[in-house]
């Protein structure tokens, strides 16, 4: 075995918390295909984000959040909901390749859309739930990008500070302090998220 061959067998370790990696959309696609078990995002600036598993506290919060939202989706049948493993592709409209924690698209906008690919359309609604390992500023940037691309309603839920930031299309961000519940407004008719299990 040559030295080059032995090096090819050695694993490469990166400290992704302190290393900023930039890749092209083509390289990102290759990474996704070669690493189907990893949760990868690509920002609009080409930064590669590797999403580590969450701690149990974040997983429990996310489970409660998805459970409440899934019940509303099933009851109303107004659209389709998607979890955090669902990839979107906004490259054609100046965005990245994000994985929102929760997203929803109304039925009329899904007609004719191939669901066996990354979704190329902007969701009507997104939620980002801040984990203890997430930088708040990074999530805020992500939410502003969702807003600029046309997401009608977005919630950034921040358990660490007991805040919810509400992003509405064409409006200033609203910050709620320790709310007990939040409404889906006209985007999600009659949906109310109970935050007791989130705080």
């Amino acid at each position: 075995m040559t030295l080059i061959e032995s090096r090819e067998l050695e694993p490469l370790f990166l400290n992704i918390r302190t290393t900023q990696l930039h890749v092209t959309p083509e390289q990102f696609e290759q990474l996704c295909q070669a690493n189907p078990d990893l949760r990868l995002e690509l920002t609009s600036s080409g930064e590669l984000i590797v999403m580590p598993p969450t701690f149990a506290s974040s997983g429990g919060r996310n489970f409660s959040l998805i459970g409440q939202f899934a019940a509303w989706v099933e009851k109303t049948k107004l659209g389709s909901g998607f979890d955090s493993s669902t990839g979107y592709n906004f490259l054609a409209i100046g965005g990245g390749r994000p994985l929102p924690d929760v997203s929803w698209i109304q039925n009329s906008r899904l007609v004719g859309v191939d669901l066996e690919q990354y979704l190329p359309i902007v969701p009507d609604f997104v939620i980002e739930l801040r984990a203890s390992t997430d930088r708040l500023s990074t999530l805020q940037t992500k939410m502003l990008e969702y807003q600029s691309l046309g997401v009608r309603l977005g919630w950034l839920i921040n358990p660490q500070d007991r805040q919810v930031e509400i992003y509405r299309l064409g409006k200033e961000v609203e910050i709620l302090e320790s709310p007990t519940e939040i409404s889906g407004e006209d985007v999600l008719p009659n949906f109310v998220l109970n935050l007791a299990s989130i705080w």
Side-chain angles (χ1 to χ4, degrees), residues 90-152:
F90 301 148
L91 294 176
I93 55 173
R97 299 275 298 268
L99 302 169
D101 288 329
V102 175
S103 57
W104 180 83
I105 302 174
Q106 66 183 22
N107 288 327
S108 63
R109 299 184 59 238
L110 286 170
V111 174
V113 175
D114 180 5
L115 298 181
E116 298 300 322
Q117 65 173 346
Y118 292 105
L119 285 168
I121 56 176
V122 175
D124 295 284
F125 171 70
V126 297
I127 301 174
E128 290 291 346
L129 175 64
R130 184 187 180 198
S132 58
T133 54
D134 290 332
R135 288 190 195 98
L136 181 58
S137 60
T138 300
L139 291 178
Q140 289 169 328
T141 298
K142 191 174 180 182
M143 294 300 295
L144 288 169
E145 182 167 300
Y146 289 145
Q147 186 183 46
S148 71
L149 292 172
V151 171
R152 295 166 55 204

Side-chain angles (χ1 to χ4, degrees), residues 175-197:
I175 300 176
L176 304 180
E177 303 284 348
S178 300
T180 57
E181 59 184 30
I182 44 177
S183 163
E185 304 174 9
D186 61 337
V187 178
L188 309 171
N190 300 315
F191 177 61
V192 176
L193 179 66
N194 185 326
L195 291 163
S197 60

Side-chain angles (χ1 to χ4, degrees), residues 4 12 42 46 57 87 92 101 141 144 153 185:
I4 292 175
L12 175 64
L42 181 67
S57 58
D101 288 329
T141 298
L144 288 169
L153 178 65
E185 304 174 9

Side-chain angles (χ1 to χ4, degrees), residues 68-108:
Q68 291 183 62
F69 188 63
W72 177 85
V73 171
E74 287 298 313
K75 180 180 178 182
T76 64
K77 305 208 180 304
L78 295 174
S80 294
F82 303 95
D83 71 5
S84 61
S85 59
T86 304
Y88 284 84
N89 185 350
F90 301 148
L91 294 176
I93 55 173
R97 299 275 298 268
L99 302 169
D101 288 329
V102 175
S103 57
W104 180 83
I105 302 174
Q106 66 183 22
N107 288 327
S108 63

